[in-house]
Amino acid sequence: MAHPVDGLLIPTGSAVHRLPAQTKIVAVVLVVATVVLTPARSWGVLAAQGALVVAVVAASRLPAAAVLRRLGVEAPFVVFALLMPFVAAGPTTRLGPVTVSQAGLLGGATLLVKATVGVLAAVVLAATTGARELLAGLERLHLPAVLVAILSFMLRYVVVIAEELGRARVAREARGGRRAGLAAVAGGVGARFVRTYERGERVQQAMLARGYAGRMPVLAGGAATAAQWASALSLPAAALLVLLVGRLLVGVGG
Amino acid sequence: MHVPDGFLDVPTSVATGVAAVAMVGTALRRAEREITETGPALPGLTAAFVFAAQMVNFPVGAGTSGHLLGGALAAALVGPWTATVVITSVLLVQALLFADGGLTALGTNVITMAVVGVVVGYLVARLALRFLPPRARSLVPATALGGLVSVPAAALAFTGLYAIGGTVDIPIGRLATAMVGWHAVIGVGEALITAAVLGAVVATRPDLVHLGRHLQPAGSPAGGPTRVRLGRRGLAIGGAVTLAVASAVSLAASTHPDGLEYIATSLGFAGAASGSPADRSPLANYVVHGLANPWVSGAAAGMVGAVVPVVVGLLLTFLAQRRRGRAARAAE
């Protein structure tokens, strides 16, 4: 079944795409946690971990341009990270014409690297996992059934509602030009909520009519085999190994 | 306002994750009765609505546009427990599918936006409703006030978490002032958008608004849809409230300059936290130089701190809109 939010999925049929969603979710969370755990100044370790995630992008055969474009989500924190050298405490250093906090400079740079690796890992997850698989994976990971059901309705209707809001905007601009007041825009959004609510009631009626008894059908995500778990978890394991080896080398080097 | 990975250390992220699971679990249990009554479709569609509405550009006056965060609005529309579940769903999808907000920061984001933002917004709206005439139209200013307060409250909650597990040493007093000052401004936009959207709902289907369930069915005797107008007066009142809040917060911050620094000194590990370059800046320690009374000057610094981001923000959006306008004209 084609799914609207599957617009995020970039199907290339790679081995990463074929892994069950639950193994990918766990692997991504663990690899990001390992990156966050890596202490500042361990640039070598962070670079190696970044390279591992990039290797997964390559293994997924995702187009680089699309991946780079999706990294744009990060833009707001880039600003924050760039501000950090100017607001953090501690001893200062001169950087060209300005005086900045050393801790802030280090922290800002570390934050930028870690957040980028985190976003990249999440982009890989979204680009290799369809919405339905993702829900099945979350169900397999024992997310409460009510929450899975709510998420599935959300994903099913988010594109519908966004398109309706888009059509309302086009209609408004066609009648009144581009300069609409707050009341006009909000009136459309408020009306959309009323319609959404009524649609929710109709969906519930339709479900009851078809025998819904308070339990959604199981999404039938298959159990993952030990081999699948092993191949998914090899990514966080490698990231952790890099971290441990890096720490050991620092220890030996003094 | 979505926190990325790497802002908070791993122990704090794990702790916020566990706390978030407990809080959302509680919300799910409390919302269960409503959800079994309405089915999962209604909260699911509400989550889709919040998600889609967050992408709408609202003109909030003075050539500026803003985005809805939706915590207080969702709480007013579907009740605080369901709203927590709804906003959590939105955050979960944003983190998993849109890489918006870190996966290790999901607990932090759920606590600040889905719990603190929703609960504070709801409680403030409930409180405000007590002092307003008991009719459906009162829902609008009450929820707007909830929206106004919920945004800086969420920012303050983040500051608190950052004080526990922040990865970079930023003086907490300064962070709190900056976060609350900036988000008080965002809160004004949130209040305006919340009021306008809720006003449109109250005008047609006041019975749908959860917050107003105890009120008499409106529009019965007077007839005709209630119209809620928000003009310059609303903007002026919002601005005045923001300035008052920012002054009050910085007053509280400046009477005890930097609570964490004070604790650090008394515990004896405040070696590095001195002599920052900003000490020579005009707002150093939130006291405006040249004003003798420390209380007055502290409050003045708060007001300046709130005004500067507004001016900078207005300037930036003005420039961006001009560019966009030019691009649109070029495209036509």
Side-chain angles (χ1 to χ4, degrees):
Chain A
M1 185 186 83
H3 206 292
V5 185
D6 283 345
L8 290 169
L9 175 72
I10 305 174
T12 62
S14 74
V16 181
H17 285 75
R18 287 196 301 272
L19 282 177
Q22 63 266 35
T23 65
K24 283 188 272 187
I25 296 169
V26 171
V28 165
V29 170
L30 287 180
V31 79
V32 175
T34 312
V35 171
V36 174
L37 201 59
T38 304
R41 280 200 194 82
S42 323
W43 299 119
V45 174
L46 286 171
Q49 290 168 336
L52 284 170
V53 179
V54 172
V56 177
V57 176
S60 317
R61 299 204 294 271
L62 297 173
V67 172
L68 284 176
R69 205 165 45 243
R70 288 192 196 175
L71 283 182
V73 183
E74 214 195 348
F77 346 123
V78 174
V79 175
F80 193 97
L82 292 180
L83 278 177
M84 225 167 219
F86 302 96
V87 295
T92 57
T93 185
R94 288 195 72 80
L95 191 77
V98 289
T99 309
V100 295
S101 153
Q102 285 172 3
L105 199 62
L106 180 68
T110 312
L111 181 68
L112 206 57
V113 172
K114 289 182 176 178
T116 308
V117 177
V119 170
L120 189 62
V123 165
V124 174
L125 176 66
T128 62
T129 317
R132 195 186 156 81
E133 283 76 19
L134 192 76
L135 290 171
L138 289 172
E139 190 177 56
R140 274 268 159 197
L141 292 172
H142 299 289
L143 199 74
V146 191
L147 207 53
V148 175
I150 291 174
L151 284 171
S152 77
F153 278 104
M154 177 190 171
L155 288 174
R156 194 158 296 160
Y157 281 100
V158 70
V159 176
V160 177
I161 294 172
E163 280 176 357
E164 284 172 345
L165 283 171
R167 280 198 296 278
R169 184 179 56 81
V170 170
R172 190 179 61 242
E173 286 179 1
R175 285 164 177 79
R178 281 180 188 282
R179 298 189 65 84
L182 174 62
V185 177
V189 174
R192 185 50 48 209
F193 173 76
V194 173
R195 297 289 178 83
T196 302
Y197 198 100
E198 289 166 353
R199 173 180 271 147
E201 287 173 336
R202 284 199 304 277
V203 171
Q204 170 73 359
Q205 299 290 324
M207 281 163 58
L208 290 173
R210 286 163 178 77
Y212 172 73
R215 188 175 281 276
M216 295 290 285
V218 177
L219 289 160
T225 64
Q228 285 169 326
W229 273 113
S231 74
L233 293 184
S234 62
L235 174 67
L240 188 63
L241 191 69
V242 168
L243 172 59
L244 293 176
V245 170
R247 293 274 75 193
L248 212 61
L249 288 179
V250 171
V252 171
Chain B
M1 171 122 208
H2 291 66
V3 179
D5 292 307
F7 252 69
L8 299 177
D9 58 24
V10 170
T12 316
S13 300
V14 171
T16 54
V18 171
V21 167
M23 290 174 188
V24 175
T26 309
L28 265 175
R29 267 196 304 281
R30 298 298 292 265
E32 201 164 25
R33 199 161 44 91
E34 284 169 23
I35 294 177
T36 27
E37 207 174 283
T38 62
L42 200 53
L45 262 74
T46 307
F49 167 78
V50 171
F51 190 104
Q54 283 182 348
M55 295 188 286
V56 174
N57 259 310
F58 290 88
V60 287
T64 326
S65 63
H67 290 273
L68 182 70
L69 296 169
L73 180 65
L77 287 174
V78 294
W81 305 114
T82 311
T84 296
V85 175
V86 161
I87 304 284
T88 301
S89 310
V90 172
L91 292 171
L92 200 60
V93 167
Q94 282 170 339
L96 281 173
L97 285 178
F98 294 86
D100 196 4
L103 284 168
T104 58
L106 195 55
T108 309
N109 285 326
V110 166
I111 289 179
T112 55
M113 287 182 271
V115 178
V116 173
V118 167
V119 171
V120 168
Y122 184 76
L123 290 179
V124 168
R126 277 289 292 270
L127 194 70
L129 216 48
R130 273 198 201 166
F131 298 99
L132 291 166
R135 55 169 189 245
R137 277 176 65 174
S138 304
L139 292 169
V140 177
T143 311
L145 195 65
L148 179 73
V149 180
S150 73
V151 180
L156 203 60
F158 168 73
T159 311
L161 292 174
Y162 196 90
I164 299 168
T167 46
V168 180
D169 175 26
I170 301 175
I172 293 306
R174 203 187 298 170
L175 181 67
T177 316
M179 284 292 283
V180 172
W182 176 239
H183 285 88
V185 175
I186 298 178
V188 175
E190 177 80 0
L192 288 172
I193 298 170
T194 302
V197 174
L198 196 71
V201 176
V202 167
T204 47
R205 289 287 303 271
D207 56 304
L208 291 189
V209 183
H210 186 280
L211 186 64
R213 281 187 175 178
H214 61 290
L215 300 170
Q216 306 140 353
S220 35
T226 40
R227 282 208 50 87
V228 183
R229 291 189 54 81
L230 257 172
R232 288 174 196 287
R233 207 159 57 103
L235 200 67
I237 294 170
V241 171
T242 311
L243 287 183
V245 169
S247 320
V249 166
S250 36
L251 202 63
S254 62
T255 46
H256 219 296
D258 224 353
L260 199 74
E261 237 166 65
Y262 170 76
I263 295 165
T265 322
S266 51
L267 292 178
F269 52 79
S274 59
S276 90
D279 275 356
R280 281 177 302 281
S281 91
L283 292 181
N285 293 326
Y286 324 114
V287 174
V288 172
H289 298 299
L291 288 178
N293 186 330
W295 279 52
V296 174
S297 57
M303 280 166 69
V304 174
V307 167
V308 168
V310 180
V311 173
V312 173
L314 284 179
L315 204 67
L316 283 176
T317 40
F318 175 68
L319 290 175
Q321 295 230 324
R322 269 188 53 175
R323 266 195 57 195
R324 204 182 304 158
R326 214 174 289 149
R329 272 195 297 280
E332 273 161 15

